[in-house]
Amino acid sequence: MSSTNNVAQARKLVEQLRIEAGIERIKVSKASSELMSYCEQHHRNDPLLVGVPASENPFKDKKPCIIL
Amino acid sequence: MCDQTFLVNVFGSCDKCFKQRALRPVFKKSQQLNYCSICAEIMATDGLHENETLASLKSEAESLKGKLEEERAKLHDVELHQVAERVEALGQFVMKTRRTLKGHGNKVLCMDWCKDKRRIVSSSQDGKVIVWDSFTTNKEHAVTMPCTWVMACAYAPSGCAIACGGLDNKCSVYPLTFDKNENMAAKKKSVAMHTNYLSACSFTNSDMQILTASGDGTCALWDVESGQLLQSFHGHGADVLCLDLAPSETGNTFVSGGCDKKAMVWDMRSGQCVQAFETHESDINSVRYYPSGDAFASGSDDATCRLYDLRADREVAIYSKESIIFGASSVDFSLSGRLLFAGYNDYTINVWDVLKGSRVSILFGHENRVSTLRVSPDGTAFCSGSWDHTLRVRKTSFHFAV
């Protein structure tokens, strides 16, 4: 019966919305400052951000070596 | 649907239809009645509240949606980029292609890094899945799938296996062996079965479980050894195109994005959707958690990438420019979360300052759409795959800070 399906679907939607409406939220200002402090804490250790010294770069093109 | 058997010990006249049937006790407003199984079934699907009609449910849904928006708006006291004004601006970046991986015969659709930060698995429209050593560009393994369009591939945490799938509607696991005599395809294990194409797959913390997303609108969690379905996730209204697991420290959740323009966060144990976000204007092609696990980014066919904070329960940034009109196919964060790399259908990769919302770099090189992009596990490089049949591994050679 399509009408009972619609009711069942509508009830599922209401239950889902109840769960979502009930969660705890924090202010955007607080959330933003926490995202920022995470970035700041890890800034120095981010190789794509600060670059990697040539000596530690495994992808760097190897120069041909000269045999003396 | 499971078959239910009921112990019947009353036979008589049904209180609703009055026919002579086997009866079951049924409670309506704490009054016991005896219904036949047909009337009991009708009552169960109609609901235990007599006045709960379709119309009343719909209006409750609308009022809940309104309440959700209100609650979210109350906490929207400032924009992320405003708070980020006090952060130092990033300068100019020089990011160079250090390796180009050539060997696929057709469009590269997906790639993943091994935890050893050096090996890469990639899959292609031509049905091939290749494991590369990105330092030497050697191909270490190759397997041909029985289908074309292998849209998803993933490396197992141990580095000893890979998973892949696509138009075959399955996710299969291949153990990686270095024995030249062994045929990789012979050890293949079919794990996941969907009723439409496999769009994404990812191992969880171990080699034992795989999470999949499919064109059939669902995600699912599978046990690799037995192939058993452990949990399924229903809620998307259309194809699910991508998923990402939360960083292990933050618990058992994952985020998925789909053609219904929704990004949904799921509890892996209960199968419940805990949060949903619907601000994109088109299909969401890629989702990726911020390294702390408190937020995630998405890339969409609407040519924007967006950042959603999970604790504020809302979108907190949009990464877009009027000049960018092609869809973003894949996104990933750098290690600190400050940079967001996004591959686009206009063949470029845009690098965004996550906090300030501005673009810091645009990378060229691919000769067709960028379809997949991942930062390496140690954050030293990122790899992009393209419809131009190649993969490129790039690193930052200089950052001229302001």
Side-chain angles (χ1 to χ4, degrees):
Chain A
M1 286 189 254
S2 62
S3 61
T4 55
N5 273 342
N6 286 343
V7 172
Q9 262 178 12
R11 186 177 312 113
K12 260 194 206 154
L13 179 61
V14 166
E15 276 170 25
Q16 179 61 36
L17 286 169
R18 279 198 194 128
I19 291 171
E20 289 179 33
I23 68 167
E24 298 235 345
R25 292 177 191 82
I26 65 173
K27 285 192 181 165
V28 175
S29 50
K30 180 161 196 280
S32 302
S33 60
E34 297 197 4
L35 290 176
M36 274 167 50
S37 72
Y38 187 92
C39 281
E40 279 172 278
Q41 269 171 43
H42 295 86
H43 186 111
R44 237 165 315 157
N45 300 326
D46 186 341
L48 285 168
L49 203 50
V50 300
V52 168
S55 53
E56 288 169 28
N57 182 353
F59 286 100
K60 188 172 165 57
D61 297 318
K62 303 270 183 281
K63 294 194 169 61
C65 56
I66 303 164
I67 300 173
L68 298 168
Chain B
M1 300 289 276
C2 45
D3 291 336
Q4 293 170 301
T5 43
F6 292 92
L7 192 62
V8 172
N9 41 22
V10 179
F11 190 91
S13 172
C14 170
D15 283 335
K16 189 163 164 92
C17 66
F18 308 114
K19 295 189 179 154
Q20 289 294 319
R21 295 252 159 85
L23 300 175
R24 286 153 41 184
V26 131
F27 291 87
K28 244 185 166 189
K29 294 191 202 286
S30 60
Q31 183 202 3
Q32 183 182 327
L33 300 165
N34 291 309
Y35 277 14
C36 66
S37 57
I38 296 171
C39 292
E41 199 58 52
I42 293 171
M43 199 193 80
T45 51
D46 273 354
L48 292 165
H49 305 284
E50 271 181 274
N51 50 5
E52 196 184 57
T53 61
L54 186 61
S56 76
L57 281 170
K58 280 194 170 163
S59 80
E60 191 180 351
E62 285 310 307
S63 85
L64 279 168
K65 276 185 194 165
K67 181 173 176 228
L68 247 178
E69 273 180 45
E70 239 183 75
E71 293 296 315
R72 282 172 170 170
K74 267 187 213 167
L75 299 163
H76 188 197
D77 52 349
V78 78
E79 297 290 341
L80 169 61
H81 64 83
Q82 289 170 309
V83 179
E85 266 162 25
R86 63 175 196 258
V87 176
E88 250 182 67
L90 297 172
Q92 299 273 53
F93 285 86
V94 175
M95 290 179 177
K96 286 196 178 163
T97 298
R98 289 293 182 199
R99 295 289 185 273
T100 304
L101 306 178
K102 296 188 186 176
H104 275 297
N106 212 321
K107 307 176 173 71
V108 176
L109 301 175
C110 188
M111 58 98 14
D112 191 18
W113 287 89
C114 177
K115 282 211 158 70
D116 72 359
K117 315 155 221 172
R118 139 175 211 164
R119 286 174 178 79
I120 287 174
V121 62
S122 61
S123 64
S124 164
Q125 184 194 341
D126 68 357
K128 286 225 172 39
V129 178
I130 299 178
V131 175
W132 315 77
D133 176 335
S134 64
F135 289 4
T136 63
T137 75
N138 286 343
K139 298 177 199 41
E140 294 192 342
H141 301 88
V143 70
T144 306
M145 294 281 284
C147 65
T148 56
W149 288 89
V150 187
M151 295 173 240
C153 63
Y155 229 115
S158 67
C160 297
I162 55 158
C164 52
L167 285 187
D168 57 352
N169 299 358
K170 292 193 241 181
C171 184
S172 309
V173 174
Y174 291 85
L176 295 175
T177 170
F178 280 93
D179 185 344
K180 294 286 179 209
N181 296 325
E182 269 206 61
N183 179 8
M184 242 177 93
K187 294 264 172 159
K188 164 179 167 174
K189 187 183 289 187
S190 274
V191 174
M193 293 276 291
H194 278 279
T195 53
N196 209 327
Y197 64 90
L198 187 84
S199 54
C201 63
S202 173
F203 284 86
T204 61
N205 292 333
S206 75
D207 285 20
M208 299 286 89
Q209 290 181 359
I210 282 193
L211 197 54
T212 57
S214 168
D216 66 13
T218 71
C219 297
L221 180 66
W222 310 83
D223 176 88
V224 173
E225 193 57 49
S226 62
Q228 198 191 355
L229 174 67
L230 298 171
Q231 185 62 265
S232 66
F233 306 89
H234 297 257
H236 275 288
D239 306 20
V240 187
L241 297 179
C242 50
L243 61 81
D244 191 37
L245 274 137
S248 39
E249 312 79 53
T250 51
N252 286 338
T253 58
F254 73 95
V255 60
S256 64
C259 290
D260 58 355
K261 313 175 199 169
K262 282 205 269 192
M264 300 177 83
V265 182
W266 307 87
D267 178 317
M268 275 169 69
R269 273 179 287 227
S270 65
Q272 187 77 49
C273 168
V274 294
Q275 283 172 279
F277 304 90
E278 202 172 351
T279 61
H280 271 293
E281 294 166 18
S282 188
D283 301 359
I284 297 179
N285 298 313
S286 174
V287 286
R288 194 72 66 209
Y289 269 93
Y290 186 80
S292 70
D294 290 333
F296 69 90
S298 58
S300 162
D301 274 350
D302 68 7
T304 71
C305 297
R306 296 174 198 236
L307 185 71
Y308 298 90
D309 188 290
L310 293 170
R311 285 151 347 124
D313 187 37
R314 62 173 301 120
E315 174 192 295
V316 292
I318 305 185
Y319 308 101
S320 66
K321 265 177 127 57
E322 266 184 46
S323 53
I324 301 175
I325 57 171
F326 285 83
S329 61
S330 49
V331 298
D332 203 356
F333 286 99
S334 70
L335 215 61
S336 65
R338 184 68 191 271
L339 298 176
L340 180 70
F341 296 93
Y344 290 76
N345 293 340
D346 64 1
Y347 315 176
T348 67
I349 293 169
N350 287 307
V351 186
W352 300 91
D353 179 332
V354 169
L355 301 178
K356 291 187 181 284
S358 52
R359 179 173 65 184
V360 295
S361 195
I362 176 168
L363 304 170
F364 301 95
H366 278 298
E367 294 165 14
N368 207 320
R369 291 191 187 191
V370 178
S371 51
T372 178
L373 188 157
R374 294 298 288 264
V375 170
S376 69
D378 60 355
T380 56
F382 70 95
C383 179
S384 55
S386 164
W387 280 17
D388 70 5
H389 310 188
T390 71
L391 295 115
R392 285 169 179 255
V393 180
R394 279 177 239 240
K395 300 180 72 93
T396 298
S397 42
F398 289 109
H399 174 207
F400 300 98
V402 164

